Structure formats: structure tokens, C-alpha cells
Amino acid sequence: MIPDKAPQEDVFHCSEDLKKESHIPSFEKYKELYTRSIENPDEFWGAIAKDFFWKTKHTGCFLDYNFDVTKGEIFVKCMEGATTNICYNLLDRNVHERKLGDKIAFFWEGNEPGDDLTVTYRELLQKVCRFANVLKSQGVKKGDRVSIYMPMVVELVVAMLACARIGAVHSIVFAGFSAESLCERIIDSQCSLLITADGFYRGDKLINLKLLADEALQKCRDKGFPLKTCIMLKHLSKEPEAAGRQSPPAKRACPDLEVPWNPDVDLCWHSLMGGAADECEPEWCESEDPLFILYTSGSTGKPKGVLHTVSGYLLYAATTFKLVFDHQPDDVYWCTADIGWITGHSYITYGPLANGATSVLFEGLPTYPDVGRMWQIVDKYQVTKFYTAPTAIRLLMKYGSDPVQKHNRKSLKVLGTVGEPINPEAWQWYHGVVGEKRCPIVDTFWQTETGGHVLTPLPAATPTKPGSATFPFFGVVPAILNESGEELEGPSEGYLVFKQPWPGVMRSVYGNHERFEATYFKKFPGYYVTGDGCRRDKDGYYWITGRIDDMLNVSGHLLSTAEVESALVEHKSVAEAAVVSCPHMVKGESLYCFVTLNDGVAFSQALEAELRKQVREKIGAIATPDYIQNAPGLPKTRSGKIMRRVLRKIACDEKDMGDISTLADSSVVDELFRNRCATTV
């Protein structure tokens, strides 16, 4: 599976200087460790576990599992018998054992330039302990679910780690999601409390987050699930007594922000913190106790609550961060993702803090107030390791190299990409312009479900090919299957699956283990099915070819076509809807929607605007359709199944339809082509 020697042609190698300080300085060392991780995983992961604190040690085998639905229930268990606390390992261990109390944990950079803050490990520990005591005072206990709906402020990290400290399960909802999405997630995970903020700026746009949170709570009440407590952070509407070392929007305060307040439900973060004690004993948790739930789009339209557990996730997030970014003690690391996504969980909070790293936490946009903002931040904090999405790279490419080259960027050593496959042109620009051909690029493939990187280059060990996810991470065994479930050898293309678990893989879909088994294990018993297509080339490199199921990857975020279709057909004018992807030069994929209207309804610009608004309100702005086409008829088989393959061809203006003999009415295709939207790629 892994070649004996690294290829030397058509690949990029890192510098000798980087190899000298690297944890894994050569391809030979990578292959040696990879082989050990597969042949003796107990020994491999057991050695890594020694770096962390365990209240009690594990008993039995390190990793136990069943991936075959025909042999019983699917399960993964890591370090059974061990007890620990992940917050203790991230903070107390670094402050007290590793003597890193005065080291900066986060440089917080606000939306406005000059709006910044530093937080040390000792300060972060104190804040987390205080808020953990706040949660306990509100009756939150081990196993309770807590919903968090916040902007990118330090208090978001404080809230999630306070949950982890007392054994509560956090469920973070991206602050760009709608009130409907928040309500759906609160009810599904049966949350006992909501933590939110008054509002925040996203570039020039003011987001009244509390208004959305209140709308969500009203929807919960309407559905018979009243939430008793909402804790609100004053981020924009500061009061004098709220001053201090929380994230201050010094450059753009908004004292006139109208913040709705329900005294029966709402509590002020600052008032509660003022009366809380600075110390809080951690709750010691079993290895397989739940750590967090994070919702990801499902092909049925209902989001899935991906469940991760304590010990395995800790080990995997920490190890992937350390080795994939080649973390060194003096690094300043910046991941530009939002903590509302899995990238922010694993590679802003848990992975970096477990390694005692210093990170940048950024509230703003890459283009605000100008397109040089990211490189200005890189220079300001002397960032050494930089991790962003291909969407951001393609967006900045449009403005050329000048905004990048106005800034020094000499501190950069490793560049990373996440969220979707990066096209070779963007890879070359990132490597040549941003990294000046001296920084290796780690193009990482992973999912909310995997918990951390599963296919990835290692900076000094694996020569890279633009656009390839390269090789598997330690403990990960990929395979490529054909439609019949047969493993393909050598150069091949098919379904990407994994043959055995690694410590950080998801354990279930919250409250619905049957859905977990049906989604990831039923199609090919004995394998974890990613839902992605993959190609392996002659050198053994893996290339992700995109989703095989009905999912879209828009700006690095996974969206369900069924979820968007469901939002569209809820409009009184729409009888039927079908959503497919269309290439987009910045976002990767865009949403192209076909709608069949009810009899007597005319398609108009006003209706189109209503439909876009409907999707935004039901899901969030990220799911706003790019194109909406009136479709009096949809291409269906004689059994009534919509042929999405045909719709994708129409959306992309590709006339070669292939075999459409199973269509009930082929004239529909001609009409759809005549009326297709003018797309730009």
C-alpha cells in the first residue's frame, strides 16, 4: 500500500532545514512508523498515551472494534478502563507539569484591525474553572448536553472546555446557521442550556446573534421543548463592569445594539463569572464517555449528531496536530476555520492546546478591511504554521500576488489546506506566491466523522503532488472498492473506505445508532465508508475525487442536497425541487436548484428571492442557492426516480448525456437546456 521508496519525479520536496528539526524527517521513517502503527497499534498508541495524564490506566487491548454489520453491532472502544479529563490534559498539565502557565495560548484577533487580546495558559485555566463553576451552579452535570452558539471569541473556547471539565457534552452550532438549524440541534441532542452572545461583526455586517438565539428558543417552546436557561456574553454591548480581559471589540463597539432580554430565561455571562470561584476540580471521565456532539449534513436531509468520546479523540487530535504540522515549541500556529466546524474543534482547540501550542484565534474575514488582511496577521504574530481552506485561497487568487507580496511572510514554514480537495492551480499559487516555494503544503483529507486527518502529507517525510491527499496517517488503513465491494489493487478509482478504526473515529450518531450503522457500514460490511470517491495513482498517492452520495462541498462545508430541497419545497409555490452541484471557481461547488412550481404559479424574480430567503432562514446563509431554474418537468425514470446525473449535466452545460433510454420523457431535457441559468465557473 505504501511504496518502498518515495517518488522523485513530478513531486515537491521540503527544505533540508525543515527536515533537521522535523519529528519525522524522512519517508523511510514515516514508513517504519506507519508499519508499526498497523502491525502493533497497542504499542504504537500506548507509547503516545504516556505523554498524557490518566487518573486510572486502561485494561485489556488498546483498541477494540467491529466494523462488520453482519457480525453484530458496530462499535469502537479505546483504552477501556482508563479515566482522565481532557480539559486537565489541555490546561492543568501544561500549567503545572510542563510549566507553560505564562505561555500565550491564544492571540485573539478581532474583526477590526487593532482589536486584539492575548490569553496565557494560566489565564485560560482560570477562566475555564470559573465558567465550569457557573455551569455547575446552573445545575449542569456530567453527561448533560450544552448548546453553544457563539462568534469566534476566547469565551467560545472557555465555554467548550468548561463543559469538558465537568463532563458535560458540548454541542457547538456554527454562528452562521439559522434559528431553525439551532432549534433542530438543541432538540435533537436534548440540551439543558444555551450559551450565546449579543452579536458580532462579520466584516461590515452586523449579526444580532441574540435575536436569532431567541427565535430558536421560541421555536423550541413551540415544539414542546422549553429551554430554561440561556447565558449571554456581552461582546458588542459592553457595560463598564464587564470590562477586563474578555474579547473586547475596542475598535467597533456597538453600544446601541438592541438585545432582546427574557428575565425568566436569560443570564449575563459577566455577572455570573464575577461571582464564580477560580478553582474547579475536574470530573474524571471514562475513556468512552461522550466529549462532544457536532452536527453534519445527512443525505436524508436531517443533520447527524456525530458523537466523539474522550480518550481516543484526545490522542488523535493531539498526535495529528503535532506530526502533520510538525509542531515545535516556538511555533505560532493559525487555523483560519471557525470553531463551529470540526476543523476548529480539532485544530484550534483540542489539538493545539494538548501540545501546549500558541495559536491565533481570528474573528474576521480574509478580505476585511482589505484583501491583505491574512498576510498582515501572519506578519503581526509571526505565524509559522498556517492552515486554511482552498476556498479562501481561490478567493485571494482573484486579486493577484500584489496584496500578498506587500507583506513579509518570512516566518511561514508550513502551509496547510482543509475542507475540500485543492485544485492544482490554487495549490501552485499557494506554494509559489504565499509560501515562496519554500513551504511544504499539507493538503489534508478528513471528515467530521474521522475526528482528525486520515490522508495527509507529512511536511518533511512525504514528497507532495499538487492536489493529492498523499498517504494515510498512522493507524489508518484505506482501501478502494468497486461497486461490488471488491478491493482494487494498484492504480484504481472507486469508493474510499477504511478497513480498521483509529482512536479518533466517531462512535455513533447521537441518539440513533441504527443510522450510524446504515450510513457508514451497511453498504460494504467490514469497512467504514467515507462517501467519497478516490483515485490511487501509480506511485500509491491518494486523490479525492468528490462526494459519491447526494452531498455538496460548498466553500469547504458539507451540505445535503436533501436538506436544501426540503427547504425549497416548504414554500407554498413549490411542488418539487432537485438540487445538484455546479463548479465554482472560488467556492469549489455551487448550488444549482431546479424547482417545479404548483399549477397557476408563475416563476419571477420576486419568487426567486423568496426561495433564496427561505433556504437562508431554514439552514443558513452558507446554503443560499447560487442558481434557481424554473423546471416545469424534471428528468425521471419510469419508476419516478429523478435522474440527478442528467441534472448535473444540464447545470454544467454538458450536452453529452450518456444513456438516457430509461427516461420517461426525454423532451424534458431539451426544455431544461433551453431555460438553464447562465452559470460562471
Side-chain angles (χ1 to χ4, degrees):
M1 182 168 50
I2 307 296
D4 291 330
K5 292 184 178 180
Q8 299 300 309
E9 296 180 1
D10 301 321
V11 293
F12 289 81
H13 298 269
C14 85
S15 68
E16 291 302 316
D17 287 343
L18 191 65
K19 288 187 177 186
K20 288 175 186 174
E21 65 177 28
S22 175
H23 297 293
I24 304 176
S26 68
F27 183 79
E28 291 70 29
K29 184 66 175 177
Y30 158 70
K31 184 162 185 182
E32 175 198 329
L33 290 173
Y34 179 78
T35 302
R36 193 187 308 166
S37 75
I38 302 306
E39 294 180 351
N40 197 339
D42 287 23
E43 180 185 294
F44 180 86
W45 292 109
I48 290 170
K50 290 176 182 176
D51 289 340
F52 299 95
F53 176 82
W54 309 96
K55 188 72 171 175
T56 59
K57 307 297 182 187
H58 80 280
T59 54
C61 68
F62 198 91
L63 202 58
D64 192 16
Y65 73 101
N66 172 43
F67 268 15
D68 191 338
V69 288
T70 67
K71 295 180 180 178
E73 185 175 279
I74 300 296
F75 71 90
V76 178
K77 295 176 182 177
C78 180
M79 296 186 71
E80 272 203 296
T83 56
T84 190
N85 182 279
I86 197 166
C87 178
Y88 183 94
N89 275 291
L90 268 58
L91 300 180
D92 305 63
R93 182 178 63 97
N94 282 319
V95 171
H96 301 305
E97 295 173 28
R98 301 181 68 199
K99 308 301 180 188
L100 298 178
D102 294 329
K103 185 175 182 178
I104 292 171
F106 289 106
F107 290 110
W108 180 76
E109 176 78 10
N111 182 64
E112 296 293 323
D115 187 5
D116 51 37
L117 171 79
T118 59
V119 179
T120 66
Y121 273 85
R122 183 175 289 107
E123 289 168 336
L124 187 57
L125 173 59
Q126 183 187 66
K127 289 173 184 288
V128 168
C129 285
R130 290 171 71 185
F131 196 68
N133 286 324
V134 166
L135 292 176
K136 289 167 74 173
S137 74
Q138 297 304 312
V140 179
K141 58 188 184 301
K142 182 180 178 182
D144 287 350
R145 277 77 59 209
V146 174
S147 182
I148 302 174
Y149 186 56
M150 298 181 80
M152 285 286 284
V153 290
V154 171
E155 288 83 357
L156 171 52
V157 176
V158 170
M160 64 196 296
L161 294 185
C163 290
R165 192 167 191 85
I166 64 173
V169 182
H170 60 73
S171 172
I172 298 177
V173 180
F174 172 53
F177 276 153
S178 67
E180 180 73 30
S181 293
L182 175 59
C183 165
E184 185 176 35
R185 287 154 173 77
I186 287 172
I187 292 175
D188 186 76
S189 54
Q190 300 284 287
C191 290
S192 61
L193 181 145
L194 172 65
I195 305 166
T196 191
D198 50 2
F200 64 102
Y201 279 98
R202 191 86 169 143
D204 271 324
K205 186 178 181 181
L206 174 64
I207 310 293
N208 191 324
L209 202 61
K210 181 60 163 55
L211 202 64
L212 292 168
D214 278 12
E215 187 183 334
L217 293 182
Q218 183 58 52
K219 289 176 182 289
C220 288
R221 285 190 286 272
D222 294 345
K223 294 178 181 180
F225 189 78
L227 214 62
K228 294 179 181 178
T229 307
C230 174
I231 297 175
M232 189 198 79
L233 171 77
K234 291 182 177 180
H235 179 49
L236 297 184
S237 55
K238 288 284 194 296
E239 293 179 353
E241 65 268 22
R245 293 186 65 79
Q246 56 259 352
S247 309
K251 300 291 181 184
R252 197 166 187 173
C254 191
D256 299 325
L257 177 70
E258 291 187 16
V259 181
W261 193 262
N262 180 351
D264 295 330
V265 175
D266 295 334
L267 297 169
C268 175
W269 172 292
H270 311 280
S271 301
L272 294 170
M273 287 286 274
D278 288 347
E279 294 184 2
C280 177
E281 277 298 305
E283 181 77 31
W284 301 109
C285 301
E286 299 286 336
S287 274
E288 287 301 319
D289 280 347
L291 173 63
F292 66 82
I293 300 163
L294 184 58
Y295 285 84
T296 185
S297 294
S299 58
T300 63
K302 179 180 169 59
K304 305 184 294 287
V306 171
L307 180 67
H308 284 286
T309 54
V310 175
S311 296
Y313 178 82
L314 165 64
L315 289 178
Y316 203 70
T319 306
T320 48
F321 173 80
K322 178 181 178 179
L323 300 181
V324 173
F325 299 110
D326 226 332
H327 173 68
Q328 305 298 330
D330 59 350
D331 275 337
V332 176
Y333 162 82
W334 182 17
C335 170
T336 68
D338 193 288
I339 291 176
W341 306 102
I342 187 64
T343 304
H345 281 56
S346 296
Y347 301 118
I348 294 179
T349 301
Y350 288 107
L353 292 176
N355 283 278
T358 295
S359 298
V360 175
L361 185 66
F362 180 44
E363 183 188 28
L365 294 172
T367 55
Y368 179 83
D370 59 62
V371 296
R373 182 71 188 277
M374 292 175 100
W375 322 120
Q376 180 261 326
I377 293 171
V378 166
D379 284 356
K380 178 177 179 178
Y381 298 112
Q382 291 295 287
V383 172
T384 55
K385 310 291 169 69
F386 180 70
Y387 195 34
T388 194
T391 300
I393 297 164
R394 289 191 293 265
L395 173 64
L396 296 171
M397 273 178 71
K398 291 199 309 180
Y399 301 98
S401 58
D402 284 353
V404 183
Q405 292 168 344
K406 284 179 182 175
H407 300 275
N408 187 281
R409 294 162 290 110
K410 295 299 182 187
S411 60
L412 289 173
K413 293 182 178 179
V414 175
L415 304 175
T417 65
V418 59
E420 60 187 301
I422 184 170
N423 53 306
E425 296 81 8
W427 193 102
Q428 295 280 11
W429 187 85
Y430 195 31
H431 181 256
V433 176
V434 177
E436 298 177 321
K437 298 185 178 180
R438 56 184 175 77
C439 300
I441 294 176
V442 287
D443 177 9
T444 61
F445 169 77
W446 58 299
Q447 304 170 314
T448 304
E449 295 89 338
T450 69
H453 308 135
V454 284
L455 298 176
T456 177
L458 298 177
T462 47
T464 52
K465 297 184 180 186
S468 170
T470 313
F471 298 123
F473 191 73
F474 303 113
V476 176
V477 184
I480 295 177
L481 306 184
N482 63 17
E483 190 66 50
S484 303
E486 299 164 330
E487 285 193 30
L488 304 174
E489 302 296 331
S492 49
E493 185 169 345
Y495 291 89
L496 175 64
V497 299
F498 295 111
K499 301 171 72 169
Q500 65 185 47
W502 50 95
V505 71
M506 72 182 289
R507 299 305 197 254
S508 188
V509 169
Y510 182 78
N512 196 341
H513 198 70
E514 287 182 6
R515 188 179 183 193
F516 171 61
E517 295 182 333
T519 303
Y520 303 102
F521 299 95
K522 190 175 180 181
K523 185 176 181 68
F524 299 121
Y527 302 93
Y528 166 88
V529 181
T530 64
D532 281 290
C534 186
R535 174 173 63 86
R536 184 172 48 225
D537 69 18
K538 62 181 177 58
D539 296 318
Y541 282 61
Y542 290 84
W543 302 73
I544 304 302
T545 56
R547 300 297 297 179
I548 289 175
D549 52 18
D550 292 328
M551 307 293 285
L552 301 175
N553 195 321
V554 178
S555 296
H557 304 310
L558 211 56
L559 294 174
S560 158
T561 57
E563 200 174 359
V564 179
E565 289 165 2
S566 176
L568 288 167
V569 298
E570 282 188 35
H571 193 282
K572 64 182 186 296
S573 299
V574 178
E576 194 172 19
V579 177
V580 297
S581 68
C582 184
H584 191 284
M585 69 179 297
V586 173
K587 296 191 293 185
E589 289 184 293
S590 58
L591 284 95
Y592 194 112
C593 307
F594 297 86
V595 293
T596 302
L597 304 180
N598 289 315
D599 286 346
V601 178
F603 191 78
S604 65
Q605 287 186 337
L607 176 57
E608 196 173 336
E610 280 181 34
L611 293 176
R612 284 196 170 89
K613 182 170 181 276
Q614 173 114 344
V615 174
R616 274 199 304 272
E617 290 177 351
K618 289 289 179 184
I619 305 172
I622 199 161
T624 305
D626 297 89
Y627 308 102
I628 300 178
Q629 178 176 343
N630 182 24
L634 291 170
K636 296 180 181 179
T637 63
R638 289 170 181 82
S639 63
K641 183 179 179 182
I642 296 172
M643 291 187 70
R644 294 173 192 279
R645 171 179 64 80
V646 172
L647 291 177
R648 277 190 284 271
K649 293 276 191 180
I650 294 166
C652 298
D653 199 20
E654 295 176 5
K655 297 294 196 296
D656 181 10
M657 289 285 106
D659 180 14
I660 55 172
S661 60
T662 57
L663 275 180
D665 180 6
S666 59
S667 67
V668 167
V669 175
D670 295 331
E671 185 169 356
L672 290 174
F673 260 117
R674 280 196 299 272
N675 297 303
R676 70 177 294 277
C677 302
T679 56
T680 56
V681 295

